[in-house]
Amino acid sequence: MRKALALLALLLLAFAGSYLLWPLQVEQPVQSVSIGGPFRLASAKGGVVDSDGLKGKPYGVFFGYTHCPDVCPTTLYDMSNALDTLGDEAKDFRLFFITVDPERDTAQVMKDYVSNFDPRIDGLIPTKDELTRILQAFHAVFEKVPDGQGGYTMNHTATVYLMGRDGTLQSTLTFGENPDTRIAKLKRLLAGG
């Protein structure tokens, strides 16, 4: 009988302890993370692109480089097709292809490269300091990787950031995303972003 009372007291103590600690286990609100931010970068088409001048218009941001063997040209090709499909519906939309390799991607190199894609795609060339700041603002990354032959390639975030009319992140497009999903996300952005 004593063992039963001791077990019951132990169970009551455990229950009381968990009841008292329960408020500490209540789900805390998730803090939002701001993605994106102001930028002012040299354009391959001449002049600069200042994000302040984009207010009221949705736009996209994609980080990459012109020597990229697959992700960058595929993404820009897919976006060109999507913009072509959307036609006038996306007439004010712009996609900014921001190089993570400003060492090789000069304004002329970027201009020649983006000329292969939809004219709403503009190449932006940051300085090293500007690149560091904008990558931090977008929570994007890159890494210079030696290729073993004296050159290098770049690992980089392969996401298109879709920014709303107010300059805040509305959605993303992933590499190889289903074309119908891509169009639906762009339509949603253009309708209300």
Side-chain angles (χ1 to χ4, degrees):
M1 179 75 168
R2 281 188 137 183
K3 283 185 179 180
L5 284 176
L7 182 59
L8 181 60
L10 186 60
L11 286 172
L12 286 172
L13 185 59
F15 176 75
S18 65
Y19 179 76
L20 291 173
L21 293 176
W22 179 76
L24 300 176
Q25 297 172 12
V26 173
E27 188 174 316
Q28 298 295 317
V30 175
Q31 296 215 358
S32 64
V33 175
S34 177
I35 294 180
F39 59 88
R40 182 177 161 80
L41 302 174
S43 167
K45 295 180 180 179
V48 297
V49 172
D50 189 328
S51 58
D52 284 343
L54 300 172
K55 299 258 191 257
K57 296 178 184 175
Y59 61 94
V61 171
F62 176 63
F63 296 96
Y65 66 113
T66 63
H67 289 75
C68 182
D70 48 18
V71 171
C72 298
T74 301
T75 299
L76 297 178
Y77 175 78
D78 289 346
M79 286 300 296
S80 292
N81 285 338
L83 293 172
D84 186 52
T85 298
L86 292 166
D88 281 347
E89 188 177 349
K91 70 179 185 301
D92 293 330
F93 179 85
R94 292 175 66 196
L95 175 63
F96 298 105
F97 175 55
I98 302 174
T99 182
V100 295
D101 189 12
E103 194 175 311
R104 292 187 292 195
D105 290 343
T106 63
Q108 188 61 50
V109 169
M110 288 288 278
K111 182 179 180 180
D112 292 344
Y113 187 77
V114 297
S115 72
N116 294 298
F117 305 102
D118 188 280
R120 290 168 280 195
I121 298 173
D122 191 359
L124 302 183
I125 306 102
T127 64
K128 287 183 181 184
D129 288 342
E130 291 168 336
L131 180 59
T132 299
R133 282 193 301 275
I134 197 165
L135 287 169
Q136 287 174 344
F138 280 85
H139 298 267
V141 296
F142 82 96
E143 174 189 26
K144 190 174 186 177
V145 181
D147 66 7
Q149 300 171 359
Y152 62 91
T153 187
M154 305 291 268
N155 291 335
H156 61 89
T157 300
T159 298
V160 175
Y161 299 86
L162 297 177
M163 310 304 287
R165 296 178 200 288
D166 61 355
T168 62
L169 180 71
Q170 300 299 306
S171 189
T172 59
L173 301 173
T174 59
F175 178 67
E177 185 147 9
N178 176 292
D180 293 334
T181 304
R182 184 181 308 113
I183 294 291
K185 287 181 177 182
L186 286 167
K187 282 185 174 202
R188 192 168 37 251
L189 177 73
L190 295 168

